[in-house]
Amino acid sequence: MIDSYEMARARMVNDQLRGRDIVDPRTLAAMQEVPRHLFVDDAMQARAYGDFPLPIGSGQTISQPYIVALMTQALGLQGGEKVLEIGTGSGYQAAILSRLAAQVFTVERFNALLAGARRVFDKLRYFNIRAKLDDGTLGWAEFAPYDAIIVTAGGPEIPEPLLAQLADPGCLVMPVGDQNEQVLQLLQQRDGQRTVTPLVGVRFVDLVGEYGWGR
Ligand code: SAH
């Protein structure tokens, strides 16, 4: 049986993703598979597949589906990778990554958000995600290096500890800029060389921490 959320997801994938520049078949399949509505409050489930960000509590937001897909696609995951995410929030981006990589590690600074995300991971049986409460600008040294790192909050620059925990080859995507607007940057590391490619202008919530904005 096809439920209405599944249809809403199919429309989202077609109109908002395929209709733009999301072409990676694995990314499109993950966006079709993961039930985004379970990552927002009951009262907002009907709007979960709209072309916009939504509030998730603690003053934070879940990114618009297109931005989640764009950041995911930029990482070029093949299936065997170890991925680090900074900014668990609702858990939706980590859930998408967990369908495309071997292991996902995610760090969040608000306990209420972390607890909510963990509940959904368990419910969906996404057992390859590990989440912890911490300042994610410090990375997660215990499981480094990471083949891919994704930062889902905006900061003034790429935190040094994250660069130190990036594998070679490896890539990192993060919104970099001021507290009003940022540019999504893709950093690729190969043979000790780093190249940075700007992708698109974005507006993310603040990355708050030792290597981010002050509290
Ligand atoms: N990836 C999330 C997006 C959440 S918004 C999702 O799919 O829903 C960004 C998140 O980054 C917020 O939850 C915010 O609390 C968190 N954040 C900001 N600074 C952080 C830091 N230094 N360490 C960990 N999480 C941080």
Side-chain angles (χ1 to χ4, degrees):
M1 198 188 92
I2 298 182
D3 62 42
S4 65
Y5 285 123
E6 196 168 339
M7 268 160 36
R9 257 194 320 278
R11 254 196 318 273
M12 168 193 87
V13 167
N14 252 309
D15 302 352
Q16 301 171 35
L17 309 184
R18 225 181 251 117
R20 294 181 180 139
D21 53 357
I22 307 302
V23 294
D24 173 43
R26 299 184 75 242
T27 298
L28 291 166
M31 297 291 294
Q32 177 63 54
E33 177 188 339
V34 176
R36 179 172 162 99
H37 62 282
L38 297 185
F39 293 86
V40 301
D41 276 357
D42 292 358
M44 272 180 312
Q45 293 202 336
R47 301 166 65 205
Y49 298 100
D51 195 13
F52 38 75
L54 286 172
I56 54 173
S58 303
Q60 309 301 316
T61 57
I62 177 174
S63 299
Q64 139 193 35
Y66 171 69
I67 296 295
V68 172
L70 186 72
M71 292 175 85
T72 304
Q73 173 171 269
L75 297 176
L77 300 170
Q78 299 297 316
E81 295 87 352
K82 190 159 59 159
V83 182
L84 175 66
E85 179 196 31
I86 309 308
T88 313
S90 68
Y92 178 67
Q93 173 76 71
I96 294 289
L97 295 168
S98 78
R99 306 300 85 200
L100 299 172
Q103 281 178 287
V104 177
F105 297 86
T106 181
V107 186
E108 171 57 50
R109 61 185 285 267
F110 283 112
N111 197 27
L113 293 175
L114 186 74
R118 278 189 174 138
R119 265 197 301 278
V120 188
F121 300 154
D122 283 349
K123 182 182 166 91
L124 293 172
R125 308 178 65 81
Y126 290 173
F127 296 136
N128 61 337
I129 307 174
R130 275 175 86 151
K132 79 158 172 174
L133 189 70
D134 205 348
D135 173 5
T137 68
L138 303 172
W140 192 338
E142 188 182 353
F143 300 103
Y146 301 95
D147 305 299
I149 299 180
I150 177 170
V151 184
T152 62
E157 61 192 9
I158 298 172
E160 194 50 48
L162 299 185
L163 292 173
Q165 293 173 28
L166 185 63
D168 187 347
C171 61
L172 179 153
V173 64
M174 169 175 167
V176 178
D178 62 30
Q179 285 166 289
N180 288 314
E181 51 186 9
Q182 306 91 33
V183 173
L184 208 52
Q185 301 208 330
L186 173 66
L187 178 146
Q188 289 166 300
Q189 173 163 267
R190 180 173 290 277
D191 301 325
Q193 304 273 72
R194 289 172 185 159
T195 56
V196 176
T197 314
L199 299 180
V200 64
V202 286
R203 238 199 116 132
F204 274 75
V205 299
D206 289 354
L207 179 70
V208 178
E210 191 168 331
Y211 294 84
W213 301 108
R215 260 148 290 236

